[in-house]
Amino acid sequence: MSELLGDQLDGTDAHSQSILVQEPADQNPILADQASKAIQRIHQLRQNVEALSSDLEAAHNVNRALMTETNRPARERA
């Protein structure tokens, strides 16, 4: 990476070099904030998935019980 950066910096004046160095430095806080927000969103989505998974499991259990009752012969239901 330093070789590539060095190649880019060769032949540029001090002002251009400082701009090339400053641009990534300026992006760091922005990218860190985006990463933090993305991590928070992932956590929130995982919580939603867990809640929905519980609801889905409960619905499956009810459905299973109802299908068992529906498929039971009439003489056994009473």
Side-chain angles (χ1 to χ4, degrees), residues 17-46:
Q17 289 178 3
S18 68
I19 290 173
L20 288 173
V21 171
Q22 190 61 40
E23 287 177 12
D26 291 343
Q27 291 295 317
N28 278 343
I30 295 167
L31 294 173
D33 183 54
Q34 289 175 348
S36 176
K37 287 178 182 175
I39 289 169
Q40 289 174 359
R41 183 71 177 136
I42 288 169
H43 179 69
Q44 183 181 42
L45 290 171
R46 281 186 177 155

Side-chain angles (χ1 to χ4, degrees), residues 2-23:
S2 63
E3 287 179 19
L4 290 174
L5 186 57
D7 289 345
Q8 289 179 357
L9 294 177
D10 287 343
T12 58
D13 60 22
H15 177 71
S16 296
Q17 289 178 3
S18 68
I19 290 173
L20 288 173
V21 171
Q22 190 61 40
E23 287 177 12

Side-chain angles (χ1 to χ4, degrees), residues 32-66:
D33 183 54
Q34 289 175 348
S36 176
K37 287 178 182 175
I39 289 169
Q40 289 174 359
R41 183 71 177 136
I42 288 169
H43 179 69
Q44 183 181 42
L45 290 171
R46 281 186 177 155
Q47 288 178 329
N48 291 349
V49 166
E50 288 175 16
L52 292 172
S53 294
S54 297
D55 291 348
L56 183 59
E57 181 66 26
H60 281 169
N61 289 336
V62 169
N63 186 47
R64 209 173 291 118
L66 289 172

